[in-house]
C-alpha cells in the first residue's frame, strides 16, 4: 500500500441552479486575458446538450482517455505514447475554433463617440480573433436552458448513447414540450488519479502534485505540442493561442495552499460544492483503471479510496510522510463521506479510465405527468420510491454519465435521496420518524441524519 | 466487493515501456513505477504564474446597487490600484445551528460587475449633445446669464426642436463638470420660475439597492418642490392585491424562512433566475421533506427542482387558483369543518363580516359592508361609518374592535386590536332565521374577457332592517361550493366543465389536469392543517405583471388565508418582484422627502404620469367600462381611462402633476394674498373655490397644452428609456420628440375622453431637458441632453438592504472614481450649489401651493365612507379640501438655500418627528446624538444643524433615524403603538434599546436589524422574518377597513369592475380592444403570439445585458425564445433573425428555438436594449427597439381608487401598475442579411 492524498470535489447536481456564477468568478480570477478568451476552466452545461467544446464526449472522434487492450493493458485512445512521440510534429486530434467558439467583443466605443447621425448608435459584434465584424453563431454555453435543443439535442453524445442502448423496440429520448427535462452539469478539470493528459505530454510538462494530487501544466516546460488536449477526454486542457502553452484548471492551488476553497466552490451560490481530501492507494490505480467491464470501474475506483479511520491506512500514510493535519482533513473530508460512506456521489465518465476525482450527486427531477395522475405524493415514501423510474430525467441518461451505463447504481443513489426526504418529513413535522426508511436504503437513522446535515444544512466549515 | 482487476495490468505494452524509459533517461522526475503518473513536490517554478495572478493588495467590502433584491456582500480585489475581480463575502451572521446559512450570496451578474469599471462603454466624462451646447454657449455669450441663456434656447421653437430631434442620434460631446452642472441648474431655475416646480420631475427606483444615492437625489428634487415619480407600481412589481387584501404595500418573508415551509409552491416566480442567491433554500428545504410544486407555462429553471409541474397557460393562473380554492372550501370548510382554519378566518379575516344585499333584476346583489352607523341606536360619531359588523353565536350584531373606525378616533384609543373577547362570530348565516336568497355574481369566463352573470344563493338575515349575509357565505357562492337548499345554479361536481371555478372548468382554460389541481389543493391544505400553516407560495412577476394581476393574486392569496398560512414562519405568501425592502425606512423616507425641512412632498404614481405625458392615452383603444361587470352601476360608463385618472386626481384619490395650468408659486401667492385680503378662509379654501369656479384649471384636463408639460427630467440609478418605459416608442415620440417606431395611428373610432382636452396635433418633444447620470451607455444616456459620469458601486459609500435577508451592509470605495466620475451624492450637491447661486437673482424665497392626495395610514383614508364615488364637480358632493378633493398646503421654499438644506438635518425632525405608518418617532435626542456623531454645519440655512454633507454621514443619519437600526426608536415606536392597539408590543424590541447599527458596523460585516413597528414581522429571539406575524400573534390589526385581511372589497369601482370578490379574469383581449391580430393567426412567415417579458438570466433588468461576460455566456445580443412548433410555422430556425411587431413598435432579435417553450407565447427577456447588436428593422428601416418597444401602458381603473381605507394612495403603496404582460405581437421571419 502506497498512500497518497488527493484533493477532490463533489458537486451535488440536485442543488445546481445552473447560474454559472462559478464560471464567471473562475474566469474573472484566472482567464480574462489575451489568448484565453475562449478558455473556461469551469463551465456549466445544460444537459441534454452538446457540452463544451461541442460533443467532447464523442471519444470516437476526439480520441481522449484510455482504452483497455485485449491483453488487459491500458493504452491512450489517441495512440500509445510511443506512437505519439513519433508523430509529435503532426497536428493532434483536437477541437478547432468552431468546436469551441469564436470569441467576440463589441464596438462599444461607438455608443459614446458616434457623431450626430440619423439613427441610434449601436455596438456591433467584432471577432476577438480577427478584429473584423462578425456574426455570433456559437458560444461556450449556446444551448443553455435547452436553447436550440429541439434542433440540436440529438447531437448530445449521451442522447446518442442512450437511444442506441434502448434499441429499436423502445421509445427514444424526444425533444418535445411534454417530455422536457433538463439539469446542469458544472465541470472543471477532474484532477484524475490516472490522467491521460499527463501521459500524453511528450515534454513531461504535466505533473500531478505529490502532496494533493492537483494536476498542473508547468508553464516553463510546456512546448505547446497539444497532445494533452487530445489525451484529456473531458477536454479540460486549453491551448493559449497567445502564449502557445497549454493551460488548465489549477484547483486554485494558490488558495488551497493557504486554506481557502477554490473560487468555483466558495462562490457557488447553490452551495453544492464540497472539497476535501481522499486517501488512495497509488499502487493500485493502474489495476483499478484496467478492470475489464466498464461497469465495474465505479466500484474499482471506490475501492482505491482508503478509509482514513483505518489504523493500517493511517500507519501507511505516516510512513509516506503524510502529516497528521492532512490525515485529520481526510477524516473530516465531506467528499469522502459523500462518495464512500453515503455513496451518493459518482464519478463522471468512469469509462474513460482516468479515475476522475470530481464526483457528482445525480439530480432528482419532477415526475412525468402520467404518474402524477396516479397520485404521486412526496409524503408517501412508497410512491416516491416507485417514482424514481418515472422521473423526467431518464435514469439511463444519468447512468451514461456516471456509471458507464449501469442504471442500478444511479437508481440506488436517487432512492437514498428520496428516502432522506421521506424520513426527514416526519422529523420536520415532529412526527415519529420511521426507522424503516433509512434501513430500506441501507443506512442507519444516524447516518441518514448526518447525510442530511451535510447535504441540506451544509455549513461552510463542513463543505470544505 | 472489489472488482477483479487484470493481473499484469499496465500502460501500453512492454516495448513501449522500454523505449519511453530510454527517452526519459536524461530528465529525472518522480513517477509511478509504471510511468503512469508524474509527481512533483511543491514549490515548482511552473506554479509561479498562477501564484502571481492570485496576489492582490487589498480586499474591500462592497455590493451592487442593482435592482435585484440580492443585497449580496462582495469582496472586491484590488491590485496596484486597479480592481481585478470580485467574489462573494461569506461572513453573514449565522441564522442558527440547524439551518443553512446565507453565505455565499451572489450571482454571475454580480460576479461580472468589475468588467464595467474599465469597460469601453464606461461614461468617463460629462457629455452633452453638441447641437445643444453650441446653442447654449451662443446664447450665454450674448446674454451673460445661464438662466436667460437656457430660456433663450428653449424659448425658440426652432432651436428647441432641433436639439430634441437629435436625441438618440449620437453627437454627444465632452464638456466640463462645471458647464454640465450649470446647464442643468439653469434649466431647473428657468422651469421653476416660468412654469412651476411641479414641472421638474425625477425618477430613481428602489432605494434599498443604494439607500444614500437614492436619498440624496430625491432630497434635492423635493427641496426644490419637484415631483418624484413612483417605481414599484410603475414596474408592475407592486401586487395591488397587497394593499387591497392586507392594507400593506407588501411585506414578505426573508428567504431563510423558506426553510420553515413544509409545502412550497413557486407560482410565476422563477427562483433560480430571479432570486439566484436565495434559491438554495428552496433546493435544501426539499431535503427536510418539503414538497415543491411549480406553476409555470414553460419548463422553467425552477421546474428542475419541482416534484410536480403545473403547466398553466400564460395568464390563466387565477382559474387554477379559483379551482384550488373551490376544493379547499368544499373539503375543508363545508364537507368537514377544520377548526384550525375556521378559528383563523374568524379572527383574522373579513369572512364573518356582514355585507348588505340589495335587490337587482329580480334577485339580490351584494353591496356594502354593514357598519355600525347602519345599526339602530348607533352613536352619531363619524367613525361609526368605519366600523364593520359581525353576528355573534346568538345572532346578535356585534361591532368588534380593530376596524378602521377604531384607528384614528379618540374613542378607539386602546381598542384598535383583533381581540374578539367572548364573541364567536358566525361564519355563515345558515340555520334558523335565515332566508335562502338568490344572488347575482359577475363572472368573466369568456376568452375575450366579456362578463356574464352567475345565479347563486346565500343564507341571509335581516339586521335592523338590512338584508345581510357574511363574506364567507358570499365566498361559497362565488366559488360555486353548493350547500343544500341554496337557490341558483351550482356545479354538479368537480368534473362539471361548464360551471365556473371547478377543477374541470379550469382544466379547459389552464390545461392543468383537474386531478392534479384537486390533488395539489388537497395536499396544500392538509399540509397547512398538519403543520400549523406552513404552506407557502413564492409568487412573482409571471402572475403579477398582468393587467389583471391583482385578481390573480387575490385568487392565490385566498388559498393561503383560508388555510391559516398567512403570518406564519414557513407559511403564507412570498411575493418577490422588485420589492426590495429598505429596512432603515424611517430615516430613508423622511430624509429623501426632505421632511426635516418642508412637508408635504410631491410624489406621483409613475403609470398615470407617463400614460398621460407620453400621450399613450391618445392611442388607447377602449373605454374603462369595456372592462365592467354586467351588473355594474355605471360609475365608469363611457369613460376613457384618461377621464378616470382625471377624476381620481380631482377626488383626492391619486395625485397628479403638474397640478394646475398656473404656476403653483403664483397660486400660493394669490392664495395667501386672498387670505390676507379676507377673501378666503385659508389658502386651501381659496384653491378649492378657484378650481370650482374655473379660475384654476387642472393640468390633466388639458394635458397636451405646453403649460402642462413636464419640462425637466432627472434620471439617476435608472435606465427609464431602456428598461421600464412601457410603450418606450411613445416616450421617444411625445415626451422627447426623438426618432421612434410607433406604427399605429390614433383611430378615429377610439373613444375620446370627455374631461381631457383633445388636440388634433399631438405634441412631440415635451421635455426641455433630459439629464441622466450613469457609468455605462444606455438607451437613456443616448437619448439624454446631458450625461453625467457616475461613480460605480465599487467607488462610493452607501448602504444596502433587502427583504430577502435581515442584514444591512455597506458599499465602500475600492478605488476612487476614475476619470471624471463622481458619486450621485457629489453630483446633487454640485447641482444644489449651482442652483442656489442662480436662484439668488431669479427665484429667491417663494411660497409653493402643494396639492397631495388623501393618504393611506393617515386620517385622510377615512375621508370617503362606504367607498362611494361622490364627485364635487358633478354636484354630488361639496368641494372640501382633504375630504372630497386633494389636500392643499402652502410651503415656503428658499431657493437660495437648497444646498445648505441638502447638507443638514432640518428642524422639523426635532419639532414634528418622523412618521411612518402612522407611528410618529420623536427625534429630539436622536438629532442631538447625530450632531455629536456627525458634527454640525456652520452658517447658512443649516447653521448649527447636524451635518449630512458626506455620503457616510448621510448613511449614519439614515441608520440613526430608523427603528430597525436604532433600538431606542424601535422600543419608542412600539410604545406609541401600544397606546392605540391596547396590547403589549414593546417587548418585541425591549432589550435592544442599547443596540444601534452604525455605518462603521455595516462596513465591517452585514448586521442584523432590530424588530420594529416599521414592519409587520418579528425577528425577536432569532426567528426568521415572516410578514404579519405581529398581527397574528399580537392581535395588531391589518391596516384595512375591517382591520382584517379582506376577501371582499366594496368600493363602487371594485363592484363595477366585478372584482368585489376573488375571481378569474382572462388576459386582456388585444384583438377586441386594440385591433391587433387574433392570437395564433398566421400569414406568410408570420404568426401572432403572446409577447411575454420575463426576467432575464443574463442580466438584472438592463444592467449586465451589455456586459461582455454575460453576452459570452448567452447568445450575444437580443433574443426571443419561441417554441419549436411556432418556429416551424414561420420557417424559423435557431439563431435566425426575426422581428416582433405591433402597433407600438418593433423589436429585432435572433430566435432561440426550444421545446421547453409552450406553443403560443414568446419570451422576450426583460430589458434587452438597442445598444448591442441591434440592426435596422425591416418594418421601419430604423434601428430595432428595446423589449418595451412592443408594449404599451394599460391602466386598470380600480388601481386609481383612493380615499377609502386600505384603498388610499401612498407612494409606491397603491397606484396603477405599468403592466405589460397582456401584449401580443406578430412575429416575423425577416431577411437574414441585416444592416446596421
Amino acid at each position: 500500500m502506497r498512500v497518497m492524498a488527493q484533493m477532490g470535489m463533489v458537486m451535488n447536481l440536485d442543488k445546481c441552479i445552473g447560474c454559472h456564477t462559478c464560471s464567471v468568478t473562475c474566469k474573472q480570477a484566472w482567464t480574462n486575458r489575451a489568448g484565453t478568451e475562449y478558455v473556461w476552466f469551469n463551465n456549466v452545461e445544460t444537459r441534454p446538450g452538446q457540452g463544451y467544446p461541442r460533443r467532447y464526449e464523442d471519444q470516437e472522434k476526439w480520441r481522449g482517455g484510455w482504452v483497455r487492450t485485449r491483453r488487459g493493458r491500458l493504452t491512450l485512445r489517441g495512440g500509445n505514447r510511443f506512437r505519439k512521440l513519433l508523430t509529435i510534429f503532426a497536428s493532434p486530434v483536437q477541437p478547432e475554433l468552431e468546436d469551441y467558439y469564436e470569441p467576440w467583443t463589441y464596438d462599444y466605443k461607438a455608443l459614446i463617440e458616434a457623431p450626430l447621425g440619423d439613427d441610434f448608435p449601436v455596438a456591433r459584434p467584432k471577432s476577438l480573433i480577427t478584429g473584423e465584424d462578425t456574426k455570433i453563431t456559437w458560444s461556450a454555453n449556446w444551448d443553455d436552458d435547452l436553447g436550440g435543443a429541439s434542433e440540436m439535442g440529438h447531437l448530445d453524445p449521451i442522447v446518442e448513447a442512450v437511444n442506441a442502448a434502448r434499441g429499436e423496440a423502445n421509445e427514444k429520448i424526444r425533444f418535445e414540450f411534454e417530455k422536457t427535462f433538463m439539469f446542469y452539469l458544472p465541470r472543471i478539470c477532474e484532477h484524475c488519479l490516472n490522467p491521460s493528459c499527463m501521459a500524453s505530454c511528450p515534454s513531461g510538462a504535466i505533473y500531478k502534485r505529490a502532496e494533493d494530487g492537483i494536476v498542473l501544466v508547468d508553464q516553463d516546460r510546456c512546448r505547446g505540442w497539444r497532445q494533452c488536449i487530445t489525451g484529456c477526454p473531458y477536454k479540460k486542457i486549453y491551448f493559449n493561442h497567445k502564449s502557445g502553452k497549454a493551460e488548465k484548471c489549477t484547483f486554485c492551488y494558490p488558495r488551497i495552499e493557504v486554506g481557502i476553497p477554490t473560487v468555483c466552490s466558495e462562490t457557488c451560490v447553490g452551495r453544492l460544492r464540497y472539497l476535501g481530501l481522499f486517501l488512495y492507494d497509488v499502487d493500485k490505480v493502474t489495476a483499478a483503471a484496467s478492470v475489464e467491464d466498464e461497469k465495474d470501474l465505479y466500484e474499482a475506483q471506490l475501492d482505491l479510496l482508503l478509509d482514513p479511520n483505518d489504523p493500517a491506512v493511517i500507519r501507511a500514510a505516516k510512513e509516506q510522510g503524510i502529516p497528521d493535519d492532512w490525515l485529520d482533513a481526510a477524516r473530516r473530508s465531506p467528499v469522502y463521506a459523500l462518495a464512500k460512506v453515503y455513496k451518493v456521489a459518482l464519478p463522471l465518465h468512469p469509462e474513460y479510465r482516468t479515475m476522475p476525482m470530481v464526483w457528482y450527486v445525480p439530480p432528482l427531477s419532477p415526475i412525468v405527468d402520467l404518474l402524477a395522475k396516479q397520485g404521486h405524493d412526496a409524503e408517501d415514501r412508497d410512491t416516491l420510491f416507485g417514482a424514481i423510474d418515472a422521473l423526467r430525467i431518464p435514469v439511463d441518461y444519468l447512468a451514461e454519465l456516471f456509471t458507464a451505463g449501469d442504471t442500478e447504481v444511479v437508481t440506488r443513489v436517487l432512492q437514498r435521496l428520496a428516502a432522506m426526504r421521506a424520513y426527514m418529513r416526519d422529523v420536520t413535522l415532529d412526527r415519529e420518524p420511521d426507522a424503516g426508511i433509512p434501513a430500506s436504503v441501507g443506512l442507519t437513522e444516524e447516518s441518514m441524519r448526518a447525510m442530511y446535515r451535510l447535504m441540506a444544512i451544509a455549513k461552510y466549515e463542513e463543505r470544505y | 466487493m472489489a472488482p477483479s482487476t487484470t493481473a499484469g495490468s499496465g500502460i501500453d505494452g512492454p516495448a513501449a515501456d522500454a523505449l519511453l524509459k530510454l527517452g526519459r533517461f536524461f530528465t529525472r522526475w518522480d513517477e509511478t513505477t509504471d510511468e503512469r503518473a508524474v509527481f512533483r513536490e511543491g514549490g515548482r517554478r511552473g506554479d509561479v504564474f498562477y501564484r502571481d495572478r492570485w496576489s492582490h493588495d487589498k480586499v474591500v467590502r462592497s455590493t451592487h446597487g442593482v435592482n435585484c433584491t440580492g443585497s449580496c456582500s462582495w469582496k472586491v480585489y484590488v491590485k496596484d490600484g486597479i480592481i481585478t475581480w470580485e467574489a462573494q463575502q461569506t461572513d453573514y451572521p449565522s441564522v442558527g445551528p440547524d439551518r443553512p446559512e446565507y453565505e455565499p450570496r451572489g450571482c454571475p451578474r454580480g460576479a461580472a460587475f468589475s468588467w464595467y469599471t474599465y469597460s469601453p462603454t464606461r461614461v468617463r466624462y460629462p457629455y452633452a449633445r453638441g447641437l445643444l451646447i453650441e446653442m447654449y454657449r451662443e446664447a450665454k455669450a450674448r446674454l451673460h446669464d445661464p438662466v436667460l441663456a437656457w430660456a433663450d434656447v428653449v424659448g425658440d421653437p426652432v432651436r428647441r426642436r432641433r436639439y430634441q430631434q437629435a436625441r438618440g442620434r449620437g453627437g454627444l460631446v465632452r464638456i466640463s463638470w462645471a458647464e454640465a452642472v450649470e446647464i442643468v441648474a439653469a434649466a431647473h431655475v428657468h422651469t421653476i420660475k416660468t412654469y412651476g416646480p411641479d414641472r421638474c420631475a425625477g425618477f430613481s427606483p428602489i432605494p434599498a439597492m443604494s439607500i444614500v444615492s437614492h436619498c440624496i437625489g430625491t432630497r434635492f428634487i423635493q427641496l426644490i418642490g419637484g415631483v418624484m415619480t413612483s417605481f414599484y407600481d410603475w414596474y408592475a412589481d407592486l401586487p395591488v392585491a397587497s394593499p387591497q387584501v392586507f392594507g400593506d404595500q407588501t411585506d414578505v418573508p426573508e428567504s431563510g424562512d423558506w426553510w420553515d415551509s413544509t409545502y412550497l409552491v413557486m407560482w410565476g416566480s422563477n427562483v433560480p433566475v430571479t432570486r439566484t442567491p436565495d434559491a438554495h433554500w428552496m433546493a435544501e428545504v426539499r431535503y427536510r421533506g418539503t414538497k415543491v410544486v411549480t406553476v409555470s407555462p414553460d419548463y422553467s429553471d425552477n421546474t428542475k427542482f419541482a416534484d410536480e409541474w403545473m403547466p398553466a397557460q400564460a395568464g390563466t393562473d387565477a382559474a387554477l387558483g379559483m379551482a384550488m380554492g373551490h376544493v379547499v372550501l368544499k373539503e375543508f370548510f363545508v364537507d368537514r369543518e377544520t377548526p384550525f382554519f375556521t378559528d383563523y378566518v374568524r379572527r383574522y379575516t373579513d369572512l364573518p363580516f356582514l355585507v348588505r344585499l340589495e335587490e337587482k333584476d329580480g334577485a339580490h346583489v351584494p353591496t356594502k359592508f354593514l357598519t355600525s352607523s347602519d345599526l339602530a341606536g348607533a352613536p352619531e360619531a363619524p367613525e361609526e361609518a368605519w366600523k364593520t359588523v359581525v353576528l355573534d353565536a346568538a345572532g346578535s350584531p356585534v361591532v368588534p374592535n380593530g376596524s378602521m373606525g377604531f384607528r384614528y378616533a379618540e374613542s378607539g384609543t386602546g381598542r384598535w386590536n383583533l381581540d374578539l373577547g367572548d364573541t364567536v362570530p358566525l361564519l355563515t348565516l345558515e340555520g334558523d332565521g335565515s332566508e335562502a336568497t338568490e344572488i347575482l355574481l359577475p363572472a368573466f369566463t369568456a376568452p375575450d374577457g366579456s362578463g356574464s352573470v352567475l345565479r347563486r344563493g346565500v343564507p341571509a338575515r335581516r339586521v335592523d332592517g338590512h338584508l345581510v349575509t357574511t363574506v364567507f357565505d358570499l365566498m361559497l357562492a362565488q366559488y360555486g361550493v353548493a350547500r343544500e337548499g341554496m337557490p341558483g345554479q351550482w356545479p354538479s361536481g368537480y368534473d362539471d366543465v361548464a360551471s365556473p371555478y371547478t377543477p374541470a372548468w379550469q382544466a379547459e382554460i389552464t390545461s392543468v389536469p383537474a386531478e392534479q389541481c384537486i390533488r395539489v389543493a388537497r395536499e396544500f391544505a392538509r399540509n397547512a392543517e398538519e403543520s400549523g400553516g406552513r404552506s407557502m407560495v413564492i409568487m412573482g412577476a409571471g402572475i403579477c405583471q398582468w393587467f389583471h394581476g391583482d385578481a390573480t393574486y387575490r385568487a392565490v392569496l385566498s388559498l393561503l388565508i383560508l388555510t391559516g398560512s398567512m403570518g406564519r414562519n414557513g407559511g403564507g405568501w412570498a411575493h418577490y418582484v422588485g420589492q426590495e425592502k429598505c429596512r432603515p425606512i424611517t430615516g430613508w423616507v423622511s430624509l429623501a422627502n426632505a421632511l426635516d425641512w418642508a412637508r408635504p412632498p410631491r410624489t406621483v404614481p409613475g403609470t398615470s404620469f407617463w400614460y398621460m405625458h407620453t400621450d399613450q392615452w391618445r392611442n388607447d383603444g377602449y373605454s374603462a367600462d369595456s372592462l365592467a361587470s354586467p351588473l355594474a352601476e355605471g360609475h365608469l360608463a363611457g369613460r376613457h381611462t384618461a377621464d378616470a385618472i382625471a377624476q381620481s386626481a380631482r377626488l383626492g384619490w391619486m395625485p397628479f402633476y403638474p397640478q394646475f395650468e398656473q404656476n403653483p408659486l403664483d397660486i400660493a401667492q394669490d392664495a395667501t394674498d386672498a387670505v390676507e385680503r379676507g377673501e378666503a378662509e385659508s389658502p386651501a379654501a381659496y384653491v378649492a373655490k378657484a378650481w370650482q369656479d374655473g379660475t384654476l384649471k387642472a393640468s390633466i384636463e388639458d394635458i397636451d397644452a405646453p403649460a402642462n408639460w413636464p419640462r425637466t427630467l432627472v434620471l439617476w440609478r435608472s435606465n427609464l428609456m431602456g428598461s421600464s418605459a412601457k410603450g418606450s416608442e411613445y416616450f421617444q415620440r411625445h415626451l422627447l420628440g426623438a426618432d421612434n417606431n410607433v406604427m399605429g395611428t390614433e383611430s378615429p373610432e377610439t373613444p375620446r375622453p370627455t374631461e381631457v382636452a383633445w388636440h388634433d396635433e399631438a405634441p412631440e418633444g415635451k421635455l426641455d431637458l433630459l439629464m441622466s447620470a450613469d457609468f455605462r451607455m444606455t438607451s437613456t444616456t443616448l437619448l439624454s441632453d446631458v450625461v453625467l459620469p457616475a461613480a460605480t458601486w465599487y467607488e462610493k459609500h452607501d448602504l444596502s438592504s433587502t427583504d430577502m435577508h435581515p442584514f444591512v451592509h455597506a458599499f465602500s470605495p475600492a478605488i476612487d472614481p476614475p476619470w471624471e466620475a463622481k458619486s450621485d451624492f457629489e453630483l446633487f450637491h454640485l447641482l444644489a450649489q449651482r442652483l442656489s447661486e442662480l436662484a439668488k437673482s431669479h427665484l429667491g424665497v417663494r411660497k409653493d401651493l402643494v396639492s397631495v392626495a388623501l393618504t393611506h395610514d393617515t386620517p385622510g383614508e377615512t375621508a370617503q365612507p362606504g367607498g362611494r364615488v361622490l364627485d364635487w364637480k358633478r354636484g354630488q358632493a361639496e368641494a372640501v379640501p382633504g375630504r372630497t378633493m386633494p389636500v392643499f398646503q402652502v410651503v415656503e421654499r428658499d431657493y437660495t438655500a437648497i444646498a445648505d438644506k441638502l447638507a443638514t438635518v432640518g428642524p422639523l425632525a426635532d419639532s414634528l418627528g418622523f412618521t411612518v405608518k402612522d407611528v410618529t418617532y420623536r427625534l429630539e435626542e436622536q438629532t442631538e446624538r447625530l450632531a455629536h456623531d456627525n458634527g454640525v454645519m456652520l452658517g447658512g440655512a443649516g447653521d448649527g444643524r447636524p451635518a449630512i454633507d458626506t455620503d457616510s454621514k448621510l448613511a449614519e443619519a439614515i441608520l440613526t433615524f430608523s427603528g430597525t437600526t436604532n433600538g431606542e426608536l424601535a422600543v419608542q415606536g412600539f410604545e406609541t403603538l401600544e397606546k392605540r392597539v391596547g396590547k403589549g408590543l414593546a417587548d418585541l424590541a425591549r432589550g435592544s434599546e442599547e443596540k444601534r447599527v452604525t455605518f462603521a458596523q455595516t462596513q465591517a460585516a452585514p448586521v442584523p436589524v432590530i424588530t420594529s413597528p416599521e414592519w409587520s414581522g418579528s425577528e425577536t429571539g432569532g426567528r426568521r422574518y415572516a410578514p404579519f406575524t405581529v398581527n397574528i400573534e399580537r392581535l395588531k390589526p391589518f391596516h384595512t377597513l375591517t382591520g382584517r385581511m379582506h376577501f371582499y372589497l366594496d368600493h363602487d369601482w371594485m363592484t363595477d369592475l366585478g372584482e368585489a370578490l376573488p375571481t378569474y379574469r382572462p388576459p386582456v383581449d388585444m384583438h377586441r380592444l386594440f385591433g391587433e391580430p387574433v392570437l395564433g393567426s398566421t400569414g406568410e412567415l408570420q404568426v401572432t403570439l403572446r409577447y411575454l417579458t420575463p426576467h432575464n438570466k443574463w442580466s438584472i433588468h438592463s444592467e449586465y445585458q451589455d456586459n461582455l461576460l454575460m453576452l459570452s455566456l448567452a447568445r450575444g445580443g437580443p433574443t426571443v425564445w419561441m417554441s419549436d412548433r411556432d418556429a416551424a410555422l414561420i420557417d424559423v430556425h435557431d439563431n435566425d433573425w426575426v422581428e416582433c411587431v405591433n402597433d407600438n413598435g418593433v423589436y429585432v432579435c435572433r430566435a432561440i428555438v426550444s421545446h421547453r417553450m409552450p406553443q403560443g407565447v414568446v419570451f422576450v427577456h426583460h430589458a434587452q436594449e438597442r445598444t448591442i447588436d441591434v440592426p435596422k428593422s425591416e418594418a421601419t428601416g430604423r434601428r430595432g427597439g428595446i423589449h418595451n418597444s412592443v408594449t404599451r401602458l394599460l391602466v386598470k381603473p380600480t388601481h386609481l381608487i383612493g380615499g377609502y381605507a386600505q384603498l388610499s394612495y401612498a407612494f409606491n403603496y397603491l397606484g396603477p401598475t405599468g403592466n405589460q404582460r397582456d401584449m401580443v405581437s406578430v412575429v416575423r421571419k425577416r431577411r437574414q442579411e441585416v444592416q446596421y
Side-chain angles (χ1 to χ4, degrees), chain B residues 671-690:
Chain B
T672 43
D673 289 351
V675 173
E676 272 173 32
R677 288 196 303 269
E679 293 166 13
E681 224 172 84
S682 64
Y686 167 86
V687 173
K689 182 162 175 298

Side-chain angles (χ1 to χ4, degrees), chain B residues 248-432:
Chain B
D248 209 308
Q249 179 200 38
T250 37
D251 204 356
V252 299
E254 58 173 286
S255 55
D257 194 44
W258 304 353
W259 178 254
D260 295 314
S261 162
T262 53
Y263 200 95
L264 187 61
V265 182
M266 285 177 276
W267 203 326
S269 183
N270 192 8
V271 162
V273 168
T274 60
R275 295 295 174 274
T276 306
D278 306 290
H280 70 88
W281 299 99
M282 174 272 293
E284 284 155 349
V285 74
R286 295 177 307 142
Y287 296 166
R288 294 187 87 188
T290 294
K291 182 165 179 172
V292 171
V293 177
T294 59
V295 187
S296 171
D298 66 319
Y299 194 96
S300 52
D301 308 61
N302 61 353
T303 300
K304 173 194 179 273
F305 294 91
D307 295 299
E308 289 205 40
W309 172 36
M310 304 176 92
Q313 304 255 346
T316 66
D317 303 82
L320 175 62
M322 291 299 288
M324 288 172 70
H326 178 95
V327 173
V328 172
L329 282 166
K330 179 168 165 43
E331 298 187 11
F332 294 83
F333 284 86
V334 174
D335 293 353
R336 164 174 82 92
E337 191 191 318
T338 311
F340 177 70
F341 295 169
T342 45
D343 288 352
Y344 182 90
V345 297
R346 273 201 183 91
R347 197 179 295 274
Y348 303 115
T349 77
D350 66 350
L351 288 186
F353 284 87
L354 300 175
V355 175
R356 286 158 45 190
L357 299 175
E358 283 171 20
E359 282 190 29
K360 188 177 180 95
D361 303 341
H364 284 82
V365 289
T367 58
K368 302 287 177 188
F369 277 105
L370 188 77
T371 65
S372 168
S373 59
D374 298 321
L375 298 177
E380 278 299 300
E383 63 262 31
E384 299 306 310
W386 297 90
K387 294 180 179 171
T388 45
V389 183
V390 298
L391 293 186
D392 66 13
S396 308
V398 172
V399 179
N401 284 352
S403 60
M404 192 58 78
F406 294 91
R407 187 165 187 198
Y408 302 104
E410 188 55 39
S411 62
T413 307
R415 294 179 61 197
W416 188 52
N417 61 53
L418 300 178
D419 197 340
L420 289 167
D422 297 332
T423 306
V424 180
L426 287 182
L427 266 186
T428 172
L429 303 191
E430 223 178 357
D432 293 346

Side-chain angles (χ1 to χ4, degrees), chain A residues 84-295:
Chain A
K84 280 191 168 298
L85 211 54
L86 295 182
T87 59
I88 197 163
F89 294 101
S91 241
V93 179
Q94 60 174 5
E96 312 269 326
L97 199 60
E98 70 259 25
D99 299 303
Y100 297 101
Y101 66 104
E102 184 169 345
W104 69 85
T105 183
Y106 299 86
D107 182 17
Y108 287 107
K109 69 176 190 309
L111 300 177
I112 293 180
E113 295 176 2
L116 187 59
D118 61 0
D119 209 339
F120 277 88
V122 69
R124 297 182 59 178
K126 301 271 178 193
S127 167
L128 274 170
I129 305 296
T130 66
E132 301 296 317
D133 287 340
T134 188
K135 286 183 181 169
I136 299 164
T137 57
W138 199 256
S139 75
N141 186 36
W142 192 259
D143 45 13
D144 188 70
D145 274 1
L146 301 175
S150 42
E151 289 173 26
M152 296 177 286
H154 66 282
L155 297 173
D156 174 351
I158 305 300
V159 169
E160 284 176 355
V162 167
N163 284 344
R166 285 184 184 183
E168 286 309 312
N170 297 304
E171 198 188 345
K172 304 285 189 280
I173 289 178
R174 293 222 300 260
F175 295 93
E176 294 171 357
F177 179 68
E178 293 76 10
K179 302 199 185 309
T180 311
F181 70 92
M182 69 171 176
F183 64 98
Y184 306 104
L185 181 69
R187 296 200 305 121
I188 62 168
C189 166
E190 294 284 345
H191 297 276
C192 304
L193 298 183
N194 184 28
S196 50
C197 59
M198 182 160 76
S200 307
C201 177
S203 316
I206 300 183
Y207 61 99
K208 196 166 173 64
R209 303 215 305 187
E211 63 271 37
D212 53 19
I214 294 173
V215 175
L216 295 175
V217 180
D218 183 331
Q219 292 294 299
D220 293 340
R221 204 185 292 257
C222 174
R223 294 288 172 268
W225 295 116
R226 291 169 291 160
Q227 299 289 352
C228 53
I229 295 169
T230 309
C232 174
Y234 302 96
K235 293 295 167 274
K236 274 293 171 188
I237 301 203
Y238 298 87
F239 184 65
N240 179 329
H241 57 84
K242 276 282 194 301
S243 69
K245 312 266 186 186
E247 291 201 45
K248 63 178 291 299
C249 158
T250 66
F251 217 82
C252 287
Y253 67 83
R255 290 170 57 105
I256 291 284
E257 286 170 0
V258 293
I260 310 173
T262 66
V263 169
C264 58
S265 302
E266 193 178 56
T267 65
C268 172
V269 293
R271 309 171 81 247
L272 54 98
R273 297 201 188 210
Y274 298 82
L275 293 175
L277 271 191
F278 288 114
L279 299 179
Y280 71 104
D281 185 348
V282 67
D283 290 337
K284 290 196 178 150
V285 170
T286 305
S290 308
V291 294
E292 187 169 358
D293 186 347
E294 287 183 343
K295 290 187 174 147

Side-chain angles (χ1 to χ4, degrees), chain A residues 45 47 49-51 53-60 62 156-158 185 233 235 348-349 352 397 400-401:
Chain A
E45 291 157 10
R47 303 311 294 254
Q50 297 186 59
R54 263 187 255 206
R55 291 174 54 79
Y56 68 90
E57 286 152 310
D58 178 1
Q59 304 309 341
E60 292 300 313
W62 302 119
D156 174 351
I158 305 300
L185 181 69
K235 293 295 167 274
L348 180 64
H349 290 305
Y352 298 161
Y397 188 98
E400 288 294 339
L401 280 176

Side-chain angles (χ1 to χ4, degrees), chain B residues 407-478:
Chain B
R407 187 165 187 198
Y408 302 104
E410 188 55 39
S411 62
T413 307
R415 294 179 61 197
W416 188 52
N417 61 53
L418 300 178
D419 197 340
L420 289 167
D422 297 332
T423 306
V424 180
L426 287 182
L427 266 186
T428 172
L429 303 191
E430 223 178 357
D432 293 346
S434 73
E435 311 162 26
T437 306
E438 187 177 45
I439 60 166
L440 305 177
L441 294 166
F444 303 90
T445 55
D448 72 355
S450 57
S452 56
V453 175
L454 301 174
R455 304 184 87 86
R456 283 176 179 163
V458 290
R461 294 191 196 181
R462 295 213 176 257
V463 174
D464 291 349
H466 305 284
L467 187 67
V468 297
T469 190
T470 65
V471 175
F472 178 75
D473 285 321
L474 288 173
M475 283 284 286
L476 292 184
Q478 172 76 353

